[in-house]
Amino acid sequence: MILKDGKSVHISLDKRTGAGFVSQDLYFHGFFSASIKLPADYTAGVVVAFYMSNGDMFEKNHDEIDFEFLGNIRGKDWRIQTNIYGNGSTSVGREERYGLWFDPSEDFHQYSILWTENLIIFYVDNVPIREIKRTKAMGGDFPSKPMSLIATIWDGSNWATNGGKYRVNYKYAPYIAEFSDFVLHGCAVDPIEISSKCADTMPKTPSIPNGITLDQRRKMENFRKKQMQYSYCYDKTRYKVPPPECVIDPKEAERLRAFDPVTFGGSHHHHGKQHRRSRSKLKEDDDVSFM
């Protein structure tokens, strides 16, 4: 539902269908942001996604940069998950998961993605929470093709809350996510030629970041220290050897091991958490309608 001002939109999930919207243009690099207010009360199994993808154009080798908001049972907080895919690398999950220092259902908060040729940064209220640098070891796993900006709300009962233990309860529906204050500061691409004349020569704007300042890096380290609950780099049940781009921080490893000794301590007993399926698979499985 587009509101009267033409600059805000609500998307809702009920027992009949989820919903979403997609940008009119494809973009090759840039800064993409929205203020989002999430549904309140019992939201177990509900997933709100704000992400970039080209899965409709490149079904076998798509790229993706994800913010996913994972609902919870009453009394438990929403969590954020970030992830990337490049060139269809869906067999390698690069998820991180965090708590927040506020209730995202009480008010709007800004969630942003900076995507350049060699760097991806996720921001919450202008605080960077994750930085991904392109490395030779990643090869084509770094997103490198033009993408659309997309938002969806859908039923993730099978995995989103405690590995599927708590499912969506439609007596609390409709679940409504609200979006406003969009920023699409990117290089638009011809969808036929998949080419761009501006590449990384977009005009610099003071309000658009191009990296992380020293003060922001301090805030990012503090956020990760207090709020990070999961990182694929330390998941010994999934990866006996961390993926090659991972830089292991001993302090970070110790914090996560204390948080979840089975996952991050290398126990042979699998913790049973399921991780999200690729969105190309979701397109086959879930009824997601676009406005």
Side-chain angles (χ1 to χ4, degrees), residues 238-278:
R238 294 175 77 192
Y239 302 113
K240 292 197 182 332
V241 177
E245 75 276 3
C246 289
V247 178
I248 301 302
D249 179 337
K251 291 183 179 179
E252 210 163 60
E254 186 55 42
R255 283 195 300 270
L256 288 172
R257 192 157 45 241
F259 181 77
D260 186 343
V262 175
T263 303
F264 304 112
S267 168
H268 294 297
H269 299 290
H270 197 277
H271 54 77
K273 288 181 184 175
Q274 297 179 16
H275 295 275
R276 65 178 289 274
R277 298 165 289 164
S278 72

Side-chain angles (χ1 to χ4, degrees), residues 4-264:
K4 290 181 179 179
D5 65 2
K7 298 178 181 179
S8 303
V9 61
H10 290 183
I11 55 176
S12 64
L13 169 69
D14 59 28
K15 62 183 177 182
R16 183 178 58 87
T17 183
F21 58 86
V22 59
S23 63
Q24 293 181 331
D25 288 326
L26 281 166
Y27 295 94
F28 187 59
H29 302 149
F31 181 77
F32 307 92
S33 184
S35 286
I36 305 172
K37 183 179 179 183
L38 298 174
D41 204 7
Y42 184 97
T43 54
V46 177
V47 179
V48 176
F50 178 65
Y51 66 106
M52 304 195 71
S53 178
N54 48 34
D56 289 343
M57 299 185 66
F58 302 96
E59 291 186 8
K60 303 293 186 184
N61 62 335
H62 84 288
D63 305 285
E64 197 165 301
I65 304 174
D66 297 333
F67 263 119
E68 290 180 310
F69 305 92
L70 310 180
N72 220 325
I73 59 175
R74 186 183 283 119
K76 299 285 187 179
D77 298 328
W78 280 84
R79 291 152 301 144
I80 291 184
Q81 181 162 286
T82 61
N83 202 359
I84 69 161
Y85 296 121
N87 205 33
S89 57
T90 55
S91 62
V92 181
R94 290 184 164 90
E95 301 96 338
E96 286 191 353
R97 199 173 300 132
Y98 329 88
L100 291 166
W101 65 93
F102 54 82
D103 182 346
S105 68
E106 287 187 346
D107 205 349
F108 286 89
H109 292 269
Q110 200 80 16
Y111 304 90
S112 311
I113 296 167
L114 176 66
W115 171 41
T116 73
E117 184 179 3
N118 295 304
L119 187 68
I120 294 168
I121 303 172
F122 294 90
Y123 299 84
V124 176
D125 288 340
N126 298 316
V127 175
I129 64 169
R130 183 180 184 184
E131 177 184 38
I132 301 168
K133 295 179 179 178
R134 185 177 198 160
T135 66
K136 285 185 179 180
M138 290 181 74
D141 286 6
F142 191 91
S144 58
K145 296 188 292 295
M147 293 187 277
S148 302
L149 183 69
I150 306 170
T152 55
I153 184 169
W154 49 279
D155 186 331
S157 288
N158 289 337
W159 68 275
T161 309
N162 288 53
K165 181 178 180 181
Y166 301 104
R167 306 178 68 81
V168 174
N169 186 335
Y170 284 105
K171 80 175 187 179
Y172 298 101
Y175 296 98
I176 299 172
E178 305 174 47
F179 291 75
S180 65
D181 299 328
F182 293 97
V183 177
L184 289 84
H185 185 81
C187 186
V189 169
D190 185 311
I192 305 300
E193 297 180 2
I194 310 296
S195 62
S196 166
K197 294 180 180 178
C198 54
D200 277 332
T201 59
M202 290 180 297
K204 302 297 182 186
T205 304
S207 61
I208 303 298
N210 56 18
I212 298 178
T213 66
L214 286 174
D215 183 57
Q216 284 180 319
R217 190 163 296 281
R218 179 183 58 78
K219 290 178 179 178
M220 180 171 73
E221 290 171 356
N222 193 44
F223 170 84
R224 294 173 69 82
K225 179 178 173 181
K226 292 182 177 179
Q227 302 291 353
M228 189 162 72
Q229 301 173 0
Y230 176 87
S231 170
Y232 75 103
C233 283
Y234 302 94
D235 187 338
K236 296 186 177 181
T237 66
R238 294 175 77 192
Y239 302 113
K240 292 197 182 332
V241 177
E245 75 276 3
C246 289
V247 178
I248 301 302
D249 179 337
K251 291 183 179 179
E252 210 163 60
E254 186 55 42
R255 283 195 300 270
L256 288 172
R257 192 157 45 241
F259 181 77
D260 186 343
V262 175
T263 303
F264 304 112

